[in-house]
Amino acid sequence: MNYLQLFWAYIQIGLFSIGGGHASIPVAQSVVVDNLGWMTLEEFSAMITLSEMTPGPFSINSATFVGTKMAGTLGGLVALLGFLVPSVIFCTLFFFIYKKFRKVRAIDGLMRGIRPAVSGLIGSAGLSITLLALFGTSTHATFQTEFAFNPVALGIAIVAFVLCRKTKINPVIIILLCGVLGMIVYSII
């Protein structure tokens, strides 16, 4: 693995992941899965699950996981640094610009325009992962190939959704509970 290629890939991911950790999912999927082929969509989905479950910021965990998978411990560090460099530079510059020009209407319009775009990016990533879990395929192939609907996955997704929306249970506990439920159900089937 070329460390410079890994660093450059994560600079791109970090540069275009506006809106927080989950907004990095579609960008990372495009780079890591679609363009470079470093991971399959199934591996990428598993990496997202692990990144959610481990302590720390999601995007930092995912960059470290991919870098470690591709090039060991040093690769994890290289990917992490590549991901962080654009954020540190952008946040520092944006702080000074926002501090000076926060009353300007164009800056307010910029912020209002970015919010729905970030929601769309997160929704796109969520749709890809949902289709993979329920139908065993990504969004690109869903209507072009045969697929198998997985009712157990739908049931687990509904349980997780209801628990998340109707209770105050920690999401990590919900993930663990659904993992145990999946282990039980899939071992019986």
Side-chain angles (χ1 to χ4, degrees):
M1 166 55 57
N2 182 343
Y3 293 113
L4 188 57
Q5 184 183 19
L6 185 62
F7 185 75
W8 177 245
Y10 269 91
I11 282 202
Q12 293 174 51
I13 294 168
L15 187 62
F16 296 106
S17 296
I18 299 170
H22 290 91
S24 71
I25 294 173
V27 179
Q29 179 185 339
S30 174
V31 172
V32 172
V33 177
D34 300 336
N35 295 347
L36 298 173
W38 288 347
M39 300 176 101
T40 65
L41 191 56
E42 291 79 10
E43 290 172 324
F44 187 76
S45 179
M47 181 271 307
I48 289 171
T49 302
L50 288 173
S51 297
E52 283 287 348
M53 291 176 54
T54 52
F58 166 79
S59 52
I60 299 296
N61 292 343
S62 63
T64 306
F65 282 138
V66 172
T68 302
K69 179 187 183 296
M70 297 310 302
T73 304
L74 184 57
L77 184 60
V78 167
L80 172 64
L81 289 174
F83 185 78
L84 290 177
V85 164
S87 298
V88 169
I89 293 170
F90 180 76
C91 286
T92 303
L93 288 173
F94 189 73
F95 170 76
F96 289 114
I97 291 169
Y98 187 74
K99 186 176 176 184
K100 185 169 180 150
F101 298 107
R102 68 177 164 231
K103 303 281 189 211
V104 176
R105 287 181 54 127
I107 298 295
D108 182 52
L110 173 74
M111 298 306 292
R112 288 177 184 244
I114 287 175
R115 276 187 224 129
V118 169
S119 297
L121 289 172
I122 294 170
S124 171
L127 180 62
S128 292
I129 293 167
T130 300
L131 290 173
L132 177 65
L134 298 181
F135 300 107
T137 185
S138 70
T139 54
H140 304 296
T142 300
F143 300 108
Q144 299 170 357
T145 62
E146 291 187 29
F147 55 87
F149 174 68
N150 186 341
V152 173
L154 178 62
I156 292 172
I158 290 171
V159 166
F161 181 79
V162 169
L163 286 175
C164 189
R165 301 299 294 170
K166 299 293 182 185
T167 69
K168 295 192 184 283
I169 298 174
N170 187 315
V172 173
I173 302 297
I174 293 172
I175 291 170
L176 291 174
L177 288 172
C178 289
V180 169
L181 178 62
M183 196 168 56
I184 293 168
V185 172
Y186 285 110
S187 66
I188 294 171
I189 294 178

